[in-house]
Amino acid sequence: MSKYSLEAFVNETKENPQQKDYFELETPHLLEINLNNQAVWTKRGSMVGYVGGINFERQGMLAGGIGNLLKKAISGEGTKLMKAEGSGRLYVADSGKKVRILYLNNESVCVNGNDVLAHEQSVKSDITMLKSIAGMMAGGLFQVKLSGTGHIAITTHGEPLTLMVTPDNPVFTDPNATVAWSGNLSPDLKTNVSFKSLIGRGSGEEFQMKFSGNGWVLIQPYEEVYFTEK
């Protein structure tokens, strides 16, 4: 059999039937969620395929998942979730970004809203905005705090790097390259330029996130720019 034959291609790329965990990485960029009469929240538009009896429901403006009406109105596309419920195998992905599965054990983690791919229904989610004019102008600078017990899946552009935060060594990051941080940290947004110089700019080194205390911050080798839906 030729290594370029259709049979060889199918054998190389087909799913692994031995994988039965709730959340599984089918490939580094593709998450498989095995549902057994369960429900899960996924980023809207992330479904690329499914097998079995799975129903999808758009999140209502005031229903479960992330946030309330006001938060949804100002927080951009990264907050919109889809509820998937039933039994079968669900495949989700986000623009070819790398997927990382985390299991929370009565813990919390904060994630950039655009980098949340999926989470179990048992995991509580809540949005907080960075309350500064620079943060609002950057677009997409809102955080989702995921807490409780259960699986979550986050995405990064390329291989991420974790920076440790200590009281003696605060960490400064580019907001658009910041993916996640430990749930006990509350970042400040710092800027050393005037408001006038920020007008018309969507990203860049004009301002940074400052993390102080004890914890960690996850960054990616890419500055992701977000656009709020009209």
Side-chain angles (χ1 to χ4, degrees), residues 62-81:
L62 294 174
I66 292 179
N68 56 34
L69 181 61
L70 175 61
K71 290 175 181 177
K72 286 185 66 64
I74 62 177
S75 56
E77 63 178 341
T79 66
K80 291 180 170 58
L81 296 182

Side-chain angles (χ1 to χ4, degrees), residues 119-133:
H119 67 81
E120 284 192 53
Q121 198 170 27
S122 61
V123 174
K124 179 185 177 183
S125 58
D126 188 50
I127 281 185
T128 14
M129 303 293 295
L130 293 176
K131 301 184 186 304
S132 91
I133 187 65

Side-chain angles (χ1 to χ4, degrees), residues 130-146:
L130 293 176
K131 301 184 186 304
S132 91
I133 187 65
M136 295 301 294
M137 292 183 66
L141 288 183
F142 56 95
Q143 65 189 46
V144 180
K145 188 169 187 176
L146 300 169

